[in-house]
């Protein structure tokens, strides 16, 4: 666990100031809070839809030029070996140039925009203060970088970046203000707890905008990212997800089809082949085949995870300099372009199916009229069109072409995940699964033509897509909802969830989910939803930190200044030092009265709130500065403290009067579940006399990990470095 990671405060603070406000203005504050939340949800949803529509618009127009230009070159020069170098030059240029532009933006402007961003999102919503996870600079670089990534047609997807965009917008909206002033629109939403809830709305909006599946967006936020949930939060997430789904569909139809009334057009959906899903009918005798598909998905997903984590580990160890990261991206993109070009030249089969509408017009090359090159299905359409081809194409694509495409996608999807470019692996993993699922079905049809009439390649491509992605990510419920909402056939839910549940069961025997494994590789103090096994016998007294910095309820400004300068602790228990005792050889620091946060102490000292202001004025100052106050003292602050250091302050109005605490004998499992479920940063430990004897931080808990090996799960303690 990386000790440099700080954590966030998701515990709700109750102090005398907010209690007094609730007594005096309770209803008006409640209505204002609800109004501000709904406005932020609406703005987040509309903004996410606008970002997605803009990305889709640029992708559509740029790829039209790319594919049309390459089609003309291939039709003119294919079959002439002396012109293959020129063909490859065009192919490499149109792949490498946009990829390197995206890489330059990522490496030199905002390195935190690399990848899909989902591991960082999981950490942030889990309570880890991931640096720059919700920066507006990342928002801009992410949008532009994703556009250039899509122009390069790499084995990366836009779904992860879109989810990250939603989180950035959701977590940033509460801080909207008039530039160069301190006038803020959403003062009541400045706290980390509210930012977390708005970020949850953002990730649901991202999923909804990417797939036009609002229910799947809600389930994704609840299943994979949010550590704490309530019925009211679920309702807010659903509201944002539905608004985003409508706004993105409306804007895409307006930009790309110039049609205002096309919001409900099925062509806007992620899987645009509803009418072609006639092969999704199944027989009860096929359930063993569905289970076998899930087993294969669990194995292939686990192997893919191992490959990706090894590549990420090597990158983390050897490619630390910016220039090395850029060279890594350039070399990887070049190898990818060479591999795809070799596949283009090596496979000369023709295909006469019904997927011509996704390809450039009159694209024939060496094929007779009415047919298209099989490799054109692979490299002359975008990833969504390729996915739709794999799960809806009626004719056989061929075992050899599918095998070549599977190896290409399996390797380069893993290789590009940790590269310095904005791109995710959600859709590429779906495509990888669809490839081997279709390959599996077509191979069975060739080996047993008379006994496999029920084995439709489209159906098994559809199921294997879900199996492979679930094997890599262990996303179950939301993935099943995406596939069901996309297919439009609820009756196909049984095969989908049979495959997904089997896949998760098999994959959990071998590896961690890829996104959580990435969090652990980065050293995030992540708390899983379930405690590590075999730790219930450990009492809290064995893991707590006994060196507690406590403050008396009435103290001097100089004492507070000294504590803040001497330590970097986030919270300090407020105690009555006159009541101490010793139990089991552990001395206490005084009877617990409350807890005061570091940021509040900084605001108190910097704004001289110890001089007896009205509670409304004090509360207004705290809300205005809570998110922006500097946690270090300036020279001017030190001078003022030197003059007024002897003044005293009563911390009673500013401290959290009901902090959560546990007894020394509480089990590790109970403390873990409490901190993970409530998103707590620190947990106070008291003795039988309610006197503070220690504190447990998130990092003290997070060093206890579950280790997944072959068919076994064990508990271990990792170092804090």
């Amino acid at each position: 666990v990386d000790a440099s990671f700080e954590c966030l405060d998701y515990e709700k603070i109750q102090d005398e100031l907010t209690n007094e406000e609730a007594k005096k203005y309770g209803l008006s504050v409640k209505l204002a809070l609800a109004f501000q939340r709904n406005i932020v949800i609406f703005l987040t949803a509309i903004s996410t839809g606008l970002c997605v529509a803009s990305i889709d618009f640029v992708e559509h127009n740029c790829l039209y030029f790319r594919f049309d230009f390459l089609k003309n070159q291939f039709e003119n020069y294919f079959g002439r070996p002396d012109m293959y170098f020129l063909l490859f030059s065009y192919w490499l240029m149109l792949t490498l140039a946009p990829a390197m532009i995206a890489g330059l933006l990522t490496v030199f402007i905002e390195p935190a925009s690399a990848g899909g961003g989902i591991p960082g999102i999981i950490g942030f919503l889990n309570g880890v203060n991931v640096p720059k996870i919700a920066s507006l600079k990342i928002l801009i670089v992410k949008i532009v970088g994703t556009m250039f990534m899509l122009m390069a047609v790499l084995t990366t997807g836009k779904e992860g970046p879109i989810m990250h965009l939603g989180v950035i917008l959701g977590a940033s909206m509460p801080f909207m203000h008039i530039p160069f002033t301190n006038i803020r629109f959403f003062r009541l939403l400045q706290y980390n707890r509210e930012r977390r809830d708005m970020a949850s709305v953002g990730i649901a909006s991202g999923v909804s905008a990417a797939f036009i599946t609002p229910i799947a967006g809600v389930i994704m936020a609840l299943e994979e990212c949010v550590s704490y949930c309530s019925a009211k939060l679920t309702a807010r997430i659903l509201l944002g997800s539905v608004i985003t789904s409508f706004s993105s569909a409306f804007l895409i139809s307006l930009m790309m089809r110039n049609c205002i009334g096309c919001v409900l057009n099925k062509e806007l959906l992620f899987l645009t082949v509803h009418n072609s899903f006639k092969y999704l009918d199944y027989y009860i005798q096929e359930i063993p085949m569905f289970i076998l598909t899930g087993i294969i998905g669990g194995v292939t997903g686990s192997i893919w995870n191992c490959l990706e984590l090894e590549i990420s580990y090597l990158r983390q160890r050897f490619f630390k300099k910016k220039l090395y990261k850029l060279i890594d991206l350039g070399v990887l993109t070049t190898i990818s372009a060479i591999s795809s070009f070799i596949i283009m030249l090596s496979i000369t089969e023709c295909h006469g199916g019904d997927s011509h509408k996704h390809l450039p017009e009159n694209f024939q090359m060496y094929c007779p009229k009415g047919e298209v090159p099989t490799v054109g299905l692979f490299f002359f359409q975008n990833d969504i069109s390729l996915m739709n081809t794999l799960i809806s194409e009626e004719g056989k694509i061929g075992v050899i072409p599918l095998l070549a495409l599977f190896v290409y996608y399996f390797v380069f999807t893993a290789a590009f995940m940790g590269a310095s470019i904005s791109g995710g692996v959600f859709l590429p993993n779906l495509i990888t699964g669809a490839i081997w699922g279709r390959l599996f079905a077509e191979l069975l049809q060739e080996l047993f033509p008379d006994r496999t009439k029920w084995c439709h390649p489209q159906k098994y491509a559809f199921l294997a897509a879900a199996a492979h992605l679930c094997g890599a990510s262990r996303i179950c419920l939301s993935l099943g909802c995406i596939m069901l909402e996309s297919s439009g056939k609820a009756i196909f839910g049984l095969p989908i969830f049979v495959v997904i549940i089997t896949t998760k069961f098999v994959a959990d025997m071998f590896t961690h989910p890829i996104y959580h494994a990435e969090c652990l590789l980065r050293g995030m103090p992540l708390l899983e939803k379930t405690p590590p096994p075999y730790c219930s016998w450990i009492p809290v007294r064995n893991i707590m930190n006994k060196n507690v910095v406590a403050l008396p309820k009435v103290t001097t400004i100089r004492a507070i200044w000294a504590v803040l300068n001497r330590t970097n602790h986030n919270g300090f228990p407020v105690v009555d030092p006159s009541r101490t005792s010793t139990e089991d050889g552990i001395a206490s620091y005084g009877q617990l009265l409350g807890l005061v946060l570091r940021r509040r102490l900084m605001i108190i000292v910097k704004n001289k709130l110890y001089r007896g202001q009205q509670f409304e004025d004090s509360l207004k100052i705290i809300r205005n500065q809570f998110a922006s106050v500097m946690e270090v003292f300036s020279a001017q602050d030190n001078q003022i403290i030197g003059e007024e250091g002897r003044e005293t302050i009563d911390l009673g109005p500013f401290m959290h009067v009901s902090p959560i605490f546990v007894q020394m004998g509480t089990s590790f499992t109970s403390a873990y579940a409490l901190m993970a479920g409530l998103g707590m940063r620190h947990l106070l430990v008291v003795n039988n006399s309610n006197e503070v004897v220690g504190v447990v931080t998130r990092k003290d808990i997070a060093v206890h990990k579950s280790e997944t090996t072959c068919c076994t799960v064990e508990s271990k303690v990792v170092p804090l470095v």
Side-chain angles (χ1 to χ4, degrees), residues 95-117:
T95 302
L96 187 61
M100 293 308 292
I101 293 174
L104 286 168
L105 290 171
T106 300
V107 172
F108 292 103
I109 297 181
E110 187 49 83
S113 66

Side-chain angles (χ1 to χ4, degrees), residues 288-300:
M289 293 299 296
F290 299 154
I291 295 174
L292 178 60
T293 303
I295 293 172
I296 297 173
V299 173
T300 57

